[in-house]
Amino acid sequence: EARRAALFAPKLSIDIIQYWPRRFAGRSVAGYLPIHSEFDARPLLMALQDAGAPLSLPCITAPATPL
């Protein structure tokens, strides 16, 4: 299942990047930076930021502590 999802991730990312930035321009968007095999949303986050959406990312202040 994960392998199949990975095959479609680039196409899905391109589709989302083409349409979402206009929809979210000026609205705050929360995201994350991927680790290991998590979906990499950085291209989408950059497109949203370029469209004027302020971004929020979690901040890790110390190991093994809440975000």
Side-chain angles (χ1 to χ4, degrees), residues 26-53:
R27 297 172 70 185
S28 294
V29 176
Y32 66 92
L33 300 179
I35 56 172
H36 306 295
S37 63
E38 291 180 333
F39 177 75
D40 187 351
R42 288 177 293 183
L44 173 59
L45 293 173
M46 288 185 281
L48 289 165
Q49 184 178 36
D50 290 345

Side-chain angles (χ1 to χ4, degrees), residues 4-66:
R4 182 172 180 234
L7 293 174
F8 293 103
K11 168 93 171 82
L12 178 62
S13 296
I14 291 168
D15 290 345
I16 290 171
I17 288 170
Q18 288 177 348
Y19 300 107
W20 279 25
R22 291 186 303 252
R23 193 166 173 205
F24 288 93
R27 297 172 70 185
S28 294
V29 176
Y32 66 92
L33 300 179
I35 56 172
H36 306 295
S37 63
E38 291 180 333
F39 177 75
D40 187 351
R42 288 177 293 183
L44 173 59
L45 293 173
M46 288 185 281
L48 289 165
Q49 184 178 36
D50 290 345
L55 302 180
S56 297
L57 298 171
C59 178
I60 299 171
T61 57
T65 59

